[in-house]
Amino acid sequence: MSSTYGTIFKISTFGESHGKAIGVVIDGCPAGIDFDETYIQHELDRRKPGQSRITTQRKEADEFQVLSGIFEGKTTGTPIAMVIFNEDQRSKDYSHIAHQFRPSHADYTYTAKYGIRDYRGGGRSSARETAARVAAGALAKIMLSSQQITIQAYVSQVGKIKLEKEYWELDLSKTDDNAVRCPDEAVAQQMFDFIDETRKKGDSIGGIITCVIKGVPVGWGEPVFDKLHAELGKAMLGINAVKGFEYGSGFDGIELYGSQHNDEFYIGEDEKVHTRTNHSGGIQGGISNGEDIYFRVAFKPVATIMQDQESVDDTGEKVIVSGKGRHDPCVLPRAVPIVEAMAALVLADFSLRSKTNKLS
């Protein structure tokens, strides 16, 4: 099982949803970066369960501990290990599905692949693992902030409720002002009410998270197999429940002629090359062009619902699976920091890789 991501700035996560702990080892992080524990904990708090009635009611503080790689508040250049101990496991909630395959879960595929699975909360397939990614991504964001690079994600659609404004029309500083993490207060309230209504029905709903990255210099990304947008796509599609990724004009771009879609270059007041439009989403030929990078990530409805569903067990017998436990009716509000973290990990890696591109 591959649990490692990255080329130079590399992370390896470990642990299960109902195991003793989850954690991450970061290798390749440069020395001398300020290790802001308060900021890292803040990012974990944005992802942790129990934030409102529209998220899972599992109670986890998600307080992390540093085991190595930090001295006097700075990274030392050696592997950094962080661990988060699980506190509120209720494994008995899952005993009834020890031999059942829950619809749209990884139960069947894990059993087929390994011949064994940890059924407690989904084990390794649980989205609880993403807390480790958020911790590592927070450090990557600190590293990127020294280069004036910002990453901001927000919920732009829940079910059919869509935020019609473009990201440049929004005040993204308001994203965390509400439980949904949508920067438009009126639309956020509609989304909240819809998610809450869905929760009361014992059902779930999906949606879209938009992410905007500002300040990436020209030249990050590789021209063939490790294109910047391809790595961002891989990172996003590696998040639990993600079913789609598009950047720039995305699928809507097919409706435009090339004469409309092409981003014309010009020299700005800063005497640098810019584009008049940004259908390219800040990436051309797999390499950043200095403009804003923006993309959208589609999340499916959470697979666990509080309704009975037909399925089979590991002997092939027909069964009725009953939803139990504590689950999000909509994963999007807690997925915002996960999207930001994965984007940060991609960019931190390309930041270091860019230093090998040419001799200055």
Side-chain angles (χ1 to χ4, degrees), residues 21 91 223 289:
S91 299
N289 67 3

Side-chain angles (χ1 to χ4, degrees), residues 69-113:
I70 306 299
F71 181 67
E72 295 183 340
K74 292 186 181 294
T75 59
T76 63
T78 59
I80 300 165
M82 292 185 275
V83 65
I84 301 168
F85 289 98
N86 294 324
E87 299 174 337
D88 189 26
Q89 309 97 312
R90 293 183 186 174
S91 299
K92 65 180 185 299
D93 287 347
Y94 299 91
S95 58
H96 69 293
I97 53 94
H99 299 283
Q100 297 178 344
F101 299 143
R102 294 169 295 172
S104 288
H105 285 74
D107 300 343
Y108 170 65
T109 52
Y110 265 58
T111 301
K113 182 176 178 66

Side-chain angles (χ1 to χ4, degrees), residues 11-28:
I11 71 164
S12 296
T13 69
F14 61 87
E16 295 82 31
S17 177
H18 284 230
K20 186 173 182 179
I22 54 175
V24 61
V25 176
I26 306 168
D27 201 5

